[in-house]
Amino acid sequence: MSRTSRLIDRRLAKALVLLQALMIPVSALIGWVVKDSTLALSAALGAFVCWLASCYFSWQSFRAAGARASKQVLSNMYKGLMGKFAIVIVGFILILSNVKPLSPVALFCGFMLVQAMSWVAPFWVSRLQKRV
């Protein structure tokens, strides 16, 4: 039996989640080098919230595949987007209210650093595919 080709390619989502996960310790290291452990913890927490939300969106979006499941795929993407938004809001509320001492600027910088990887991942995947 031959394998049917999938209409949805999950490689980009996997690469994005991996690249974002790699940026969590990088953001902490940058915060620690710039100032101290408070900055490092704040940046790592912001990066973690972004990564967790992105993981949920990827998992929810790619649960179903195929032409027959197009409505379900679209519905799952909406659910994933709403869940991602909720994870980010609840994550920031929990961190801002419970973590002391905290640097809000570093928290949002860590978040933005990991979010920026969604721009880098497509280029990274395309370069890897050209090599293979």
Side-chain angles (χ1 to χ4, degrees):
M1 274 183 136
S2 66
R3 283 181 70 185
T4 59
S5 65
R6 297 186 74 87
L7 294 176
I8 297 177
D9 191 6
R10 294 183 172 122
R11 287 181 291 189
L12 182 58
K14 289 179 182 178
L16 176 61
V17 168
L18 175 67
L19 191 59
Q20 286 179 335
L22 292 173
M23 293 311 292
I24 295 171
V26 169
S27 66
L29 184 63
I30 291 170
W32 184 70
V33 167
V34 167
K35 192 172 179 188
D36 59 0
S37 62
T38 301
L39 219 64
L41 177 65
S42 301
L45 287 172
F48 180 74
V49 166
C50 185
W51 175 77
L52 189 64
S54 183
C55 284
Y56 177 79
F57 176 76
S58 297
W59 171 75
Q60 185 72 9
S61 297
F62 294 107
R63 286 184 0 184
R68 292 186 186 143
S70 61
K71 289 183 181 179
Q72 187 179 6
V73 169
L74 183 62
S75 174
N76 287 346
M77 289 188 106
Y78 282 130
K79 288 177 189 174
L81 189 60
M82 290 296 121
K84 181 178 181 175
F85 185 68
I87 289 170
V88 169
I89 296 299
V90 170
F92 278 142
I93 289 171
L94 288 173
I95 291 169
L96 289 169
S97 64
N98 294 322
V99 178
K100 304 288 184 226
L102 181 76
S103 171
V105 172
L107 179 75
F108 291 112
C109 284
F111 181 87
M112 288 187 295
L113 177 67
V114 172
Q115 187 64 38
M117 292 304 108
S118 61
W119 298 332
V120 174
F123 297 112
W124 185 50
V125 169
S126 68
R127 291 190 79 196
L128 289 176
Q129 288 176 348
K130 288 179 184 177
R131 288 184 188 171
V132 174

